[in-house]
Amino acid sequence: MRDVAELAGVSAQTVSRVVNGHPYVADHTRQRVLDAMRTLDYQRNPAARALATRRSGTLGIIGYESPLYGPTSMLYAIEGAARAADYFVSVVSVRHLDRRSVLDAVDWLRRQSVEGIIAIAPKPAMASALAMATAGSPCVTVGGGSSEAIPRAQIDNAAGARLATQHLLDLGHRTVHHLAGPPDWPEADEREAGWRAALQAAGAPIPPVVPGDWTACTGYEQGVRLARDPSVRAIFCASDQLALGVLRALHEAGRSVPDEVSVVGFDGIPDAAQFLPPLTTVRQDFAELGRRSLGLLLPQLDRVGDPAIRRCDLLLPELVTRRSTAAPHR
């Protein structure tokens, strides 16, 4: 740091301010320091910084080992937000969403001297284990199944489902059928609740829920059954992958989308625009969710146990309309 200061013609204190992102440094001075750092290939020493500040500058992330779009996208988003905030990241993924796996993950991260933990907690059992394992420590959960004991950031799944259902009702459909996610996932329960609430508010008939999971395979299997029922004219699927399977089943049954049946998904996966037809979906902004989760964690690092710390941040999803939905043909 002294070498950088000498080359830039400033004090070591000024170099320290630039390195730590202090706002009160003139732009031309900051640029001279940054140029000197590049010339000398200056790199901060995280070990020295930790000794001086008693802060490791590292955050722990607990991910869920899954091929599903949602948990994977959450993991990337949280990691990106942490790095953008100038934190190192230590990631551990759990294969099973049970108490033992969570406790082991928290223990491993604590051995890395992380300052706080952000955990993707899609099921209540995982959130409950986190609440016990991280009691008194900075922690945030992301996704469904969050415990009230831990601040949480999540998508407002019920609001997204209402958007999807209302869109179909506004097009003129008499009712909307729902192909649900797995029953042990809070996101699935919330999406079903939003669908049901929208139908109730409109005074529309509420068909039986079609059980499912998150996969295209199940979407196809249940889509075959739905395609046989001529009264089915609008379907809200709990995931885009489910919708993909439904689209194939309807195509094979000779039922045109959207002329005969309208279909809406949920997630906003990048490939949804390439479905045939392009899929109307409820898009989740995972990058923003990552930033929101970090926004809940960082205040805790200096104020552990402060009741004024915000407990929940709900992010509203967005309805993206494409060619898989249309007014019903009479």
Side-chain angles (χ1 to χ4, degrees), residues 47-113:
R49 181 176 183 270
L51 285 172
T53 63
R54 298 185 184 276
R55 302 277 290 266
S56 68
T58 301
L59 300 179
I61 302 176
I62 300 177
Y64 171 43
E65 194 173 305
S66 165
L68 296 173
Y69 175 73
T72 303
S73 298
M74 287 179 191
L75 177 60
Y76 290 147
I78 296 165
E79 183 182 12
R83 285 189 286 106
D86 207 23
Y87 278 88
F88 296 101
V89 173
S90 183
V91 179
V92 57
S93 293
V94 296
R95 182 171 299 176
H96 304 291
L97 301 176
D98 56 26
R99 179 176 174 273
R100 183 70 264 162
S101 297
V102 172
L103 296 179
D104 289 344
V106 170
D107 184 59
W108 188 88
L109 288 172
R110 281 180 166 162
R111 293 202 300 271
Q112 313 306 309
S113 300

Side-chain angles (χ1 to χ4, degrees), residues 216-238:
C217 181
T218 295
Y220 175 75
E221 292 170 356
Q222 296 290 32
V224 168
R225 297 181 178 90
L226 288 166
R228 296 192 192 112
D229 184 349
S231 70
V232 174
R233 305 294 301 276
I235 305 171
F236 165 50
C237 301

Side-chain angles (χ1 to χ4, degrees), residues 153-234:
Q154 64 186 73
I155 301 292
D156 192 334
N157 290 284
R162 288 194 300 271
L163 282 174
T165 307
Q166 192 61 51
H167 167 67
L168 291 165
L169 293 173
D170 289 345
L171 287 172
H173 290 282
R174 175 174 169 270
T175 189
V176 178
H177 294 257
H178 179 47
L179 176 50
D184 56 343
W185 284 64
E187 283 96 340
D189 294 341
E190 291 161 8
R191 293 172 196 181
E192 179 183 331
W195 160 78
R196 190 180 301 277
L199 292 180
Q200 287 175 337
I206 302 177
V209 173
V210 181
D213 52 24
W214 301 124
T215 68
C217 181
T218 295
Y220 175 75
E221 292 170 356
Q222 296 290 32
V224 168
R225 297 181 178 90
L226 288 166
R228 296 192 192 112
D229 184 349
S231 70
V232 174
R233 305 294 301 276

